Amino acid sequence: MTHRVFVGAVGADGQPLHLATRDGRFTYVGPQAPETHGAQVIDLQGKLVLPGFVDGHIHLDKSFLGDRWRPHRPAATLRDRLAAEKEEIAAAAPMTQRADALMRQCVAFGTVAMRCHVDVDASTNLTHLHAVMAMRDQWRDLLDIELVAFPQAGVMTCPGTAEVLEAAVREGVQVVGGIDPTTLDGDAQGQLSVVFGIAEKHGTKIDIHLHEPGETGLAQLHRIAARTQAAGLQGRVSVSHAYGLGDIGLAELDVIARALADAGVSIMTNAPGDRAFPPILRLREAGVRVFTGNDNIQDSWWPYGNGDMLQRAMLIGYRSGFYTDEHLQVALDMATHAAAAVIGKADYGLREGNEASFVVFDAPNAAAAVAAAPAARAVIRHGRYWGGPAQLALDPALLKDTAGSTPT
């Protein structure tokens, strides 16, 4: 049996924290130093311990990580963007290679679980899904991955997609997706009937991409909340992005927030840089679970991202105007416990009996870590040191000036 005790750490609140692990699980988490007899003792010397991160929305099949840098190609319309994406993915390195590179990077930053949206429609069939499944199996010991069958090309406007979505679910996908039922598909009731029909038939969850603005997006959210209630799917439906929530007035927002909370519909936002997005605090106050994810990472949609969920929490806080310690911890919760609850990750968090996985930072508390998003960290998985982000190493001789001395 492997018995380790981690002493001298601080928790999210900056107070003393000690942890004991045995065979990869926590046997103690608390403020008092535990018994160390027979244990390997690791002194964390005042460093911060946080639970592993959970990425609530990522696209492993799209990223160009593991391939060459590809300059972003502007596109005038969504359909143009989809066409460009298909061309670039066809010319890129194998999907398994690129997905493997992104998963490795996410794990190095401390991610322990993710919800991955995979393109599954009549234009791609199950090719993306099979590639991501192969990499998921290789990383199974380090990453819990919940898969979403995502109809990127639409459902009603891409004939045959409904059958492919159902085939994906039969292969083990846990979540059925949708996308912009009105503005992309032109048939809100039709798309939602397909998506909710598959979920009811197979017992899957639902996660719908919703970029629709203003009143269009608001009407869609009311439809989704009503269907969720009618189908008895409370707590099993998410809406990703929900941009329209950032476009409406407070009175309308409070009405839809109550409807979403009553239906148990959760909202994912990654705080995109170029438009309004859901008001996180007001939704949470109404009882709506709000979580986050990286979304696209260095792909055809945008060139940004590195897979670091602490950096994503920082961006959430930055774009939301979160300045207090309390609000900075909200951003962290969205990247940890809230996202874990949405994907149903069991044994998660710093608690006795749970999987002994956590991340160590040189920071005084969680708020400071979110505000600075330090890159340096150590990742502990199943009670053992796994690693962390690679450090850039340079030969000191390269830093010598012409006189032979090191510049200051």
Side-chain angles (χ1 to χ4, degrees):
M1 293 190 298
T2 304
H3 182 199
R4 293 188 177 91
V5 174
F6 298 84
V7 299
V10 297
D13 58 1
Q15 296 303 305
L17 183 69
H18 307 274
L19 312 104
T21 72
R22 189 183 296 272
D23 296 336
R25 307 193 78 80
F26 289 119
T27 58
Y28 172 81
V29 178
Q32 305 300 322
E35 172 60 50
T36 61
H37 179 71
Q40 178 186 7
V41 179
I42 298 96
D43 186 356
L44 294 180
Q45 300 178 339
K47 291 182 172 54
L48 171 69
V49 165
L50 296 177
F53 300 113
V54 179
D55 192 326
H57 188 120
I58 194 170
H59 295 267
L60 292 171
D61 56 330
K62 297 176 182 286
S63 176
F64 295 132
L65 278 173
D67 194 7
R68 66 175 176 83
W69 172 260
R70 294 175 181 271
H72 183 71
R73 290 169 53 181
T77 67
L78 176 57
R79 292 295 181 186
D80 290 345
R81 169 63 58 217
L82 295 176
E85 178 185 54
K86 287 190 180 298
E87 291 176 9
E88 292 192 307
I89 286 179
M95 192 170 293
T96 52
Q97 176 181 321
R98 293 182 286 106
D100 179 71
L102 181 52
M103 294 160 83
R104 184 179 303 277
Q105 190 153 304
C106 290
V107 168
F109 281 121
T111 292
V112 298
M114 56 178 55
R115 173 176 279 186
C116 173
H117 296 252
V118 185
D119 283 14
V120 171
D121 53 49
S123 64
T124 61
N125 242 294
L126 300 180
T127 54
H128 288 214
L129 178 63
H130 290 155
V132 171
M133 280 181 158
M135 288 302 97
R136 179 191 62 174
D137 291 343
Q138 290 194 22
W139 285 91
R140 189 177 298 277
D141 290 343
L142 292 169
L143 268 177
D144 290 340
I145 302 180
E146 183 178 65
L147 295 173
V148 184
F150 173 46
Q152 175 73 84
V155 178
M156 312 309 291
T157 55
C158 189
T161 291
E163 290 76 14
V164 180
L165 289 173
E166 195 154 11
V169 171
R170 287 196 296 268
E171 293 214 13
V173 166
Q174 303 101 316
V175 188
V176 62
I179 179 171
D180 296 339
T182 297
T183 57
L184 179 65
D185 253 359
D187 184 356
Q189 298 296 352
Q191 184 185 130
L192 294 179
S193 292
V194 169
V195 171
F196 277 84
I198 293 173
E200 290 180 77
K201 179 179 178 181
H202 295 281
T204 65
K205 300 177 188 176
I206 292 172
D207 193 327
I208 297 174
H209 280 60
L210 191 62
H211 312 94
E212 297 173 348
E215 296 298 325
T216 303
L218 178 62
Q220 209 72 264
L221 288 167
H222 277 293
R223 290 188 194 100
I224 292 168
R227 282 183 176 264
T228 300
Q229 290 270 35
L233 290 173
Q234 292 91 336
R236 297 180 61 80
V237 176
S238 302
V239 175
S240 289
H241 305 305
Y243 290 163
L245 289 174
D247 298 333
I248 58 179
L250 292 181
E252 289 179 309
L253 176 64
D254 288 342
V255 171
I256 187 58
R258 286 195 296 273
L260 294 170
D262 290 345
V265 174
S266 57
I267 298 294
M268 192 293 305
T269 182
N270 66 324
D274 61 348
R275 75 163 340 278
F277 60 94
I280 293 164
L281 297 181
R282 201 167 185 99
L283 289 171
R284 282 171 56 101
E285 289 168 2
V288 180
R289 175 171 282 136
V290 188
F291 64 109
T292 190
N294 276 298
D295 197 15
N296 301 87
I297 296 174
Q298 295 182 29
D299 60 12
S300 295
W301 295 82
W302 58 50
Y304 294 100
N306 62 3
D308 182 3
M309 285 303 297
L310 183 62
Q311 185 184 86
R312 179 57 50 188
M314 181 272 287
L315 291 170
I316 290 284
Y318 178 82
R319 289 231 55 215
S320 300
F322 290 172
Y323 300 136
T324 67
D325 283 15
E326 178 187 4
H327 290 167
L328 289 168
Q329 292 215 43
V330 166
L332 178 65
D333 179 72
M334 291 169 60
T336 52
H337 292 282
V342 169
I343 73 169
K345 178 167 173 55
D347 299 338
Y348 175 78
L350 307 179
R351 183 176 299 174
E352 184 177 330
N354 284 354
E355 173 190 306
S357 294
F358 54 95
V359 192
V360 183
F361 299 91
D362 189 5
N365 54 46
V370 171
R377 64 197 68 176
V379 178
I380 310 298
R381 296 306 313 272
H382 309 293
R384 298 175 304 194
Y385 173 74
W386 182 83
Q391 301 298 307
L392 184 65
L394 291 178
D395 183 345
L398 299 175
L399 304 179
K400 300 289 186 180
D401 64 17
T402 55
S405 60
T406 302
T408 58

